[in-house]
Amino acid sequence: RFQACVYFASVFQAMSCGIHYLASVFMAVTPNFVCGFPGNVSSVLFHNSSASSIEDIWTLWTSTENYIVVQLENGDIWELDQCSRSKREASLDLAYEYKGNKSVFPCSDGFLYDDTKWKSTVVTQWDLVCDREWLAKLIQPTFMLGVLIGALVFGDIADRLGRQRVIWFTSASQFVFGIAVAFTFDYYSFVIVRFLLAMVSSGYLVVAFVYVTEFVGIRARTWASMHVHAFFAVGIMIVALVGFLVRTWWVYQICLSIATLPFVLCCWMLPETPFWLLSEERYEDAQKVIDTMARWNKVSTPCKVSELCSVQQDNPASGTTGDDDTSPAKKHTILDLFCNWQIARRTITVWLIWFTGSLGYYVFSLSSVSLGGNEYINLFLIGAVELPCYIIACVAMDKLGRRNTLIPFLILSALICVLIMFIPQDFNILIILANMAGKFSIGIAFGLIYLYTAELYPTIVRSLAVGSGSMMCRVGSVVAPFCVYLRSVWIFMPLLLVGIMALLSGILTIMLPETLGRPLTNTLEEATQMGRNKKSCSEKTPPAHSGAALEKIEMFGQERVSNDK
């Protein structure tokens, strides 16, 4: 009961991470627009259609290459393009086609935007079009850059100051910065505050994974960690719902930010994890948490910290070489992930899978609003399709194995990317279904790689391996928005790139060892032998501490089971 309450309270806030990660798909929409004009309009002409105002013309607008002809009250006739305007020199009759002389002027009177769908976006707020269009395209990449930095910063702080404090700070900061974004006064302050929002959102998500893992027992750990992603997907669905209901960007941002306010009000009740308290030798505090867990779960004989300490002291694995040498253990670096050809090839493949999973995940998500049809339903479905994919991933990787699940779904996502290219563009429903299938496939691979990476590497470099893989994941999320922008070059370019990366990753995964049912390795030698390669690292690394004392905590809050469990 205690673990369940802590788990659902923690992952509830993960929805806000999904909300803020994808909020820009509607907040930074660029609607149809043309140059403004100097004066009051008397009549408007678009091809063979005439109207008294430009607002009546937007429903006929089909291409950015079109232009609108307007006649002002003083008799001047202007041709309005998107990034320029032309004044007809000698024209008495209002006609769409004109072969006479024109004087071209810049858009010094601003722009006129189509507000039939969105009353206001950050693009219309600060005229992020034409020569300022690149600023609009930097909104999502700069956010993802903040995600990368936040994962690094707050992951380290959580190890130093504790998980509880970081969860308090990042969850409260998400609310504060989320509201602050709505009240920014210019583009640059908007980007800076969103960057800070990205840092705390990423920090929360990273620490929440660790937090729930340290509270949830071994039997439910795989399912619990995997379904943190599911709550992230629910956040994406909330973005679609709020985007449909609210069409002014700053009101939209406020509504998204207050969606998880209940957690901010009660997050101070979450306790610190006993794992971290014991690692910091705060035994009295750890005992208090353990006693609280016992009361909630109605365990009559809670374990004592003194018993845990005695187990740790009696453990023969001391983390030394076994000789009289008391020098500290060797500090491992990223280079240890390339200590021989077997481990180096494994590292390159794992990094590629992390990058491809993140790239595909965000390309399918960010592109969903451009598939045709109703963009709100598209994004909602792209989020909803993740919910069953994590259930299937959990079942498949325990029944078929990690590698045997990863390979087919990576290759399947590549094939789906190719299939989408051959679907006619007027088959909107079929295109949307194919994109959902692509997101489903890449979502399974993306969710599985967390656990698979931890199992592929020995204890001494396991954190390095997962951390470096997570770094490649963040790089993929930074690259993804730029990949989506390549639609302007060729509409299928993003899918082509994702398909190539997924196919390459799937082929290379064949060379990875299966880890299902195998014990975790402790040394680089053992990890190398798992790959059936006799060549091993030159040095022998001492086995890592077994952590028997900490493992006993996982039994708290669960009914007593037999010793062989």
Side-chain angles (χ1 to χ4, degrees), residues 8 18 28 33 55 60 99 111 127 132 157 259 290 306 334-335 376 414:
F8 285 108
F33 67 94
E55 286 74 15
L60 306 175
K99 302 297 183 180
F111 299 87
D127 288 335
R132 288 168 56 87
I157 293 176
I290 292 170
S306 57
I334 197 74
L335 296 178
Y376 307 105

Side-chain angles (χ1 to χ4, degrees), residues 330 332 460 522-525 537 539-544:
K330 177 182 180 292
H332 295 277
I460 55 175
N522 287 325
T523 68
L524 289 166
E525 280 189 336
C537 299
E539 64 171 345
K540 291 186 178 180
T541 308

Side-chain angles (χ1 to χ4, degrees), residues 431-465:
I431 291 175
I432 293 169
L433 291 176
N435 274 269
M436 289 176 62
K439 177 70 176 297
F440 180 89
S441 300
I442 207 72
I444 289 180
F446 193 30
L448 189 153
I449 191 59
Y450 282 83
L451 178 63
Y452 194 29
T453 301
E455 294 176 341
L456 284 172
Y457 290 88
T459 303
I460 55 175
V461 294
R462 187 168 295 126
S463 293
L464 267 175

Side-chain angles (χ1 to χ4, degrees), residues 9-321:
S10 302
V11 297
F12 179 79
Q13 183 70 359
M15 290 192 300
S16 67
C17 300
I19 286 172
H20 295 305
Y21 277 41
L22 273 295
S24 67
V25 295
F26 296 130
M27 186 165 52
V29 171
T30 302
N32 295 325
F33 67 94
V34 292
C35 261
F37 45 83
N40 298 321
V41 64
S42 61
S43 57
V44 182
L45 188 63
F46 182 74
H47 291 291
N48 296 324
S49 301
S50 59
S52 58
S53 66
I54 291 183
E55 286 74 15
D56 300 327
I57 295 295
W58 291 126
T59 56
L60 306 175
W61 188 275
T62 56
S63 172
T64 57
E65 298 178 357
N66 292 327
Y67 63 91
I68 297 175
V69 178
V70 297
Q71 187 172 32
L72 305 183
E73 292 179 350
N74 60 7
D76 292 342
I77 298 177
W78 292 80
E79 293 181 7
L80 307 179
D81 294 308
Q82 285 201 318
C83 297
S84 64
R85 56 184 180 174
S86 304
K87 181 181 180 182
R88 295 179 179 178
E89 295 295 340
S91 177
L92 299 177
D93 298 326
L94 181 62
Y96 193 75
E97 299 293 338
Y98 177 74
K99 302 297 183 180
N101 296 328
K102 305 176 186 177
S103 299
V104 180
F105 298 90
C107 299
S108 55
D109 292 297
F111 299 87
L112 301 174
Y113 297 97
D114 178 8
D115 60 359
T116 54
K117 278 192 175 181
W118 277 84
K119 299 301 180 183
S120 173
T121 71
V122 294
V123 173
T124 63
Q125 180 87 15
W126 296 304
D127 288 335
L128 305 181
V129 293
C130 297
D131 58 342
R132 288 168 56 87
E133 182 183 8
W134 65 277
L135 294 174
K137 290 185 175 181
L138 283 180
I139 290 175
Q140 189 66 16
T142 53
F143 184 92
M144 289 302 183
L145 182 61
V147 168
L148 190 155
I149 296 175
L152 295 175
V153 172
F154 287 104
D156 181 63
I157 293 176
D159 287 337
R160 297 173 184 269
L161 302 181
R163 289 78 163 100
Q164 181 193 49
R165 293 179 182 178
V166 173
I167 283 181
W168 288 357
F169 176 79
T170 54
S171 58
S173 297
Q174 279 190 82
F175 176 74
V176 172
F177 289 135
I179 297 295
V181 166
F183 295 97
T184 48
F185 53 87
D186 63 6
Y187 169 81
Y188 298 102
S189 63
F190 170 82
V191 169
I192 291 172
V193 177
R194 284 241 325 156
F195 182 86
L196 297 175
L197 176 60
M199 287 185 61
V200 295
S201 297
S202 174
Y204 181 87
L205 197 59
V206 168
V207 177
F209 267 107
V210 178
Y211 187 78
V212 300
T213 300
E214 291 182 352
F215 265 113
V216 176
I218 294 175
R219 290 180 296 175
R221 182 170 294 165
T222 299
W223 284 76
S225 61
M226 185 74 77
H227 281 80
V228 175
H229 295 286
F231 284 86
F232 186 96
V234 172
I236 297 177
M237 298 163 65
I238 292 175
V239 170
L241 178 62
V242 176
F244 174 75
L245 297 174
V246 183
R247 305 300 177 91
T248 302
W249 78 267
W250 60 272
V251 179
Y252 161 84
Q253 176 65 29
I254 292 175
C255 292
L256 291 178
S257 298
I258 64 175
T260 53
L261 180 60
F263 177 80
V264 178
L265 299 178
C266 67
C267 66
W268 59 272
M269 300 172 63
L270 294 177
E272 184 57 81
T273 68
F275 275 86
W276 185 83
L277 292 172
L278 283 177
S279 69
E280 295 292 311
E281 300 182 354
R282 292 170 54 181
Y283 301 122
E284 292 184 3
D285 293 333
Q287 186 65 60
K288 291 179 181 178
V289 176
I290 292 170
D291 292 340
T292 302
M293 296 167 69
R295 287 196 304 270
W296 274 64
N297 296 327
K298 299 180 180 179
V299 175
S300 58
T301 56
C303 193
K304 302 297 182 181
V305 168
S306 57
E307 297 176 8
L308 301 178
C309 293
S310 65
V311 171
Q312 188 172 18
Q313 291 170 359
D314 295 338
N315 190 350
S318 59
T320 62
T321 59

Side-chain angles (χ1 to χ4, degrees), residues 407-544:
I407 292 171
F409 280 104
L410 281 172
I411 295 177
L412 177 62
S413 60
L415 295 177
I416 290 173
C417 289
V418 175
L419 175 65
I420 294 174
M421 298 181 191
F422 292 95
I423 300 177
Q425 289 301 295
D426 53 345
F427 284 54
N428 289 336
I429 296 178
L430 194 57
I431 291 175
I432 293 169
L433 291 176
N435 274 269
M436 289 176 62
K439 177 70 176 297
F440 180 89
S441 300
I442 207 72
I444 289 180
F446 193 30
L448 189 153
I449 191 59
Y450 282 83
L451 178 63
Y452 194 29
T453 301
E455 294 176 341
L456 284 172
Y457 290 88
T459 303
I460 55 175
V461 294
R462 187 168 295 126
S463 293
L464 267 175
V466 176
S468 62
S470 180
M471 175 70 72
M472 295 305 299
C473 166
R474 311 302 174 189
V475 172
S477 65
V478 173
V479 173
F482 294 107
C483 186
V484 173
Y485 297 149
L486 292 177
R487 285 175 60 91
S488 60
V489 178
W490 184 42
I491 191 172
F492 297 124
M493 183 65 75
L495 291 173
L496 178 64
L497 295 177
V498 172
I500 292 173
M501 298 297 292
L503 181 62
L504 180 60
S505 300
I507 294 173
L508 291 177
T509 304
I510 297 174
M511 296 183 288
L512 294 178
E514 180 55 70
T515 60
L516 178 63
R518 294 191 178 187
L520 295 178
T521 57
N522 287 325
T523 68
L524 289 166
E525 280 189 336
E526 294 175 2
T528 302
Q529 292 169 2
M530 184 172 61
R532 295 188 177 88
N533 190 334
K534 294 182 179 180
K535 181 181 178 182
S536 60
C537 299
S538 58
E539 64 171 345
K540 291 186 178 180
T541 308

Side-chain angles (χ1 to χ4, degrees), residues 379-400:
L379 184 63
F380 185 89
L381 293 176
I382 285 292
V385 77
E386 288 188 56
L387 302 182
C389 94
Y390 297 128
I391 298 175
I392 293 176
C394 287
V395 174
M397 68 185 191
D398 285 339
K399 299 294 184 181
L400 304 177

